[in-house]
Amino acid sequence: MPGPVLHTGASAQCPHGAPLQILAASPRVSVGGMPVAVLSDPGVIAGCPFTLPNGTPQPCVTTRWLVAATRVMASGQPVLINPLTALCFSATQVPQGPPIITGSQSRVIAQ
């Protein structure tokens, strides 16, 4: 499915509203002046407020990208596109739900 290419400046958050930052490991390719996000780039989350019903904190801390572009690569890795297929995870690797992408560049479309 085609979609806009994500970059490190994309506005994203975990399902509980905490900001998600994509860290570009190889910033050689850019769109809109920002490094392109690829499948191997880590996504980190800080400040997630989620707690279990019993009061135990279970915040989102990382993101695992599940699907990326099939035809467009940057530095040999598939680029991430929006809509994004990913999951946020707690420190104990419990899936917390998909991240929410609220803003990305709109000029470069990939498949």
Side-chain angles (χ1 to χ4, degrees):
M1 170 190 292
V5 174
L6 289 181
H7 54 71
T8 57
S11 298
Q13 56 188 330
C14 78
H16 311 107
L20 181 155
Q21 183 178 7
I22 302 169
L23 305 175
S26 178
R28 295 181 66 195
V29 178
S30 63
V31 292
M34 302 294 285
V36 169
V38 297
L39 191 60
S40 62
D41 287 344
V44 295
I45 302 162
C48 178
F50 183 68
T51 58
L52 297 173
N54 66 5
T56 305
Q58 192 74 37
C60 300
V61 293
T62 61
T63 300
R64 186 175 309 148
W65 319 113
L66 303 174
V67 177
T70 56
R71 295 183 179 179
V72 180
M73 308 282 180
S75 300
Q77 290 285 320
V79 300
L80 297 179
I81 57 174
N82 195 15
L84 186 64
T85 303
L87 281 175
C88 296
F89 288 86
S90 69
T92 57
Q93 297 304 303
V94 175
Q96 305 284 50
I100 301 162
I101 307 297
T102 55
S104 62
Q105 65 81 35
S106 59
R107 300 181 89 189
V108 180
I109 304 297
Q111 281 192 349

